[in-house]
Amino acid sequence: MPRRDFIQLGVISVLGLGFADILRLRANAATPKKQVNCIMIWLDGGPSHYETFDPKPDAPSEIRGDFKAISTAVPGIQFSEAVPKLAKVADKFTVVRSICHKDPNHGGGNHYMMTGAPTPVPVACGAFVTFHPSVGSMVSYARGQKDGLPAYASMPQVSRSGGPNFLGGKHAPFVIDGYPNSPAFKVRDVVLPKDISESRAASRRELRATLDHMKRYSDKLADDPAVSFDEYYQQGVQLVLSPQAQSAFDIQREPEKVREAYGRNDFAQRLLLARRLVEVGVSWVTVYSGGWDHHTKIFESYKGDGTKAMDQGVSALISDLDERGLLDSTLVLMLGEFGRTPKVNKDAGRDHWPHAMSVLMAGAGIPRGHVVGATDAKGYYASENVHSPEDFAASLYTKMGIDPAQVLHTNTGRPIQLVNNGHLIKELFA
């Protein structure tokens, strides 16, 4: 540790701060001062680290698989040939190859990576469970709604364990369903019905306020359903009447050249819509993509349209944000709940494997063109600079300007630490 840091440690300890506090302060100092918004690309099912960002070209064929390793824009870093467009922009992001955990089930793995907390009891493989607030909901809780826009949005559905738990329904994601590649695409609940003018809607709100004399409990511990209903109602009104929302959700305003660059498919157009949302101040957007649970014919799948759409769309998103000067204030993540087994199974697929996974991270001060950590020679286990989901969550919260060590209280008053024993991934703050 440098001598200057030892001196700072001595000075700050007089103020009653510990070593962990100093590390957090230093991390915050390395985080951009401008508000950071986040786009999380969630590949549900568990994408293969072998067929994306951690190929093993020297491993036996039953581990290596059908794809070759290719060079990227960064000398010495190789990706799978299944993601050639991401390889060309590898100088704009970091891949963490050493995040891992021990839960091989979709339900538990989703919860762990979405919340930074393991499930307190084992859950079924396909379970949709919530024992702790998701990162997106916590960001909504910390920041709140702005200019009528939701703080947390998810497309085209809520991801498993992507909800607010005890933070309350107002911090659940605003779900944007539908097919944005369609010329007729419109975001539901954002425009007034044709037969109701804005002035008529305003008069109805005034009438409702006059007639509604129901008792309201403001204490969160009371958990009054009527309070939650009023909060939903108010959010809905603000969303419908917000000019920022009307503009951001109208993807038809994008030039055709930009839409083509992302790719003319619904997944890619959701990425473009996510860029439009963070551009106007939406704090957290999850873009959900299912179908990454490849127990059979994994190599055929990775040669197919789904992987091509991901490769083109995500590379275009990162480049677009960079060209617009938004990458410094936008955190981009791409991950799933775990990686895939080293050995290809009898059905030409790979099974669940939480002991190794790759996570793409870009923007918000994250160094460009880096790889953090490593797996062993055959990709079985994270072996260098190993990090837990708690470390991942602590790093995300710090990037978003939220203290991961803070203590929250459930609606019964029970204290819960936001992230328990999470350590920052220091390379993300270099």
Side-chain angles (χ1 to χ4, degrees), residues 211-362:
L211 296 177
D212 186 4
H213 296 295
M214 291 177 63
K215 184 178 179 181
R216 296 289 184 262
Y217 294 96
S218 59
D219 187 345
K220 290 182 180 178
L221 298 183
D223 198 21
D224 180 15
V227 173
S228 294
F229 178 81
D230 282 351
E231 289 170 346
Y232 290 139
Y233 181 84
Q234 186 60 32
Q235 285 183 356
V237 169
Q238 291 175 352
L239 188 63
V240 166
L241 299 182
S242 166
Q244 289 90 342
Q246 304 303 318
S247 175
F249 287 121
D250 188 1
I251 197 171
Q252 310 295 344
R253 297 189 182 194
E254 283 290 333
E256 186 60 30
K257 182 179 179 180
V258 175
R259 301 191 71 178
E260 291 287 344
Y262 277 73
R264 273 305 200 159
N265 56 80
D266 290 312
F267 170 76
Q269 296 302 301
R270 289 182 185 113
L271 295 176
L272 177 54
L273 185 54
R275 189 222 78 202
R276 292 179 63 84
L277 293 178
V278 297
E279 200 168 17
V280 296
V282 176
S283 295
W284 188 279
V285 183
T286 297
V287 179
Y288 173 97
S289 174
W292 295 89
D293 191 22
H294 296 114
H295 291 281
T296 63
K297 299 180 180 179
I298 188 170
F299 308 114
E300 288 185 25
S301 296
Y302 272 81
K303 292 174 184 176
D305 292 341
T307 302
K308 291 177 181 177
M310 177 272 286
D311 184 43
Q312 179 177 349
V314 177
S315 59
L317 170 68
I318 294 171
S319 296
D320 193 15
L321 288 167
D322 195 26
E323 290 168 6
R324 291 170 179 270
L326 293 171
L327 197 54
D328 287 341
S329 60
T330 306
L331 180 62
V332 179
L333 313 169
M334 185 168 73
L335 69 154
E337 58 264 46
F338 37 57
R340 310 303 295 188
T341 48
K343 286 190 177 181
V344 179
N345 65 29
K346 62 181 179 59
D347 298 314
R350 298 187 193 268
D351 302 313
H352 305 172
W353 193 253
H355 308 291
M357 61 190 298
S358 292
V359 177
L360 180 153
M361 304 183 72

Side-chain angles (χ1 to χ4, degrees), residues 9 25 27 52 65 152 181 192 240 268 290 296 310 340 365 387 392 405:
L9 178 60
L25 289 170
T52 52
Y152 174 23
N181 194 41
L192 287 168
V240 166
T296 63
M310 177 272 286
R340 310 303 295 188
H387 289 286
F392 176 61

Side-chain angles (χ1 to χ4, degrees), residues 404-418:
Q406 67 180 282
V407 175
L408 304 173
H409 290 83
T410 70
N411 52 6
T412 61
R414 183 165 63 95
I416 290 183
Q417 190 165 319
L418 180 56

Side-chain angles (χ1 to χ4, degrees), residues 28-96:
N28 284 329
T31 303
K33 301 304 178 185
K34 190 175 181 181
Q35 175 175 299
V36 170
N37 300 320
C38 180
I39 298 172
M40 171 186 272
I41 303 153
W42 183 261
L43 306 183
D44 194 70
S48 170
H49 52 299
Y50 293 94
E51 278 68 51
T52 52
F53 304 120
D54 195 8
K56 300 296 180 182
D58 299 324
S61 59
E62 66 270 20
I63 293 175
R64 180 179 67 245
D66 288 2
F67 291 105
K68 298 177 182 178
I70 59 172
S71 298
T72 69
V74 182
I77 295 178
Q78 292 186 318
F79 291 168
S80 167
E81 65 176 333
V83 289
K85 294 184 183 298
L86 282 166
K88 289 180 180 179
V89 296
D91 56 342
K92 299 181 186 295
F93 59 84
T94 280
V95 171
V96 184

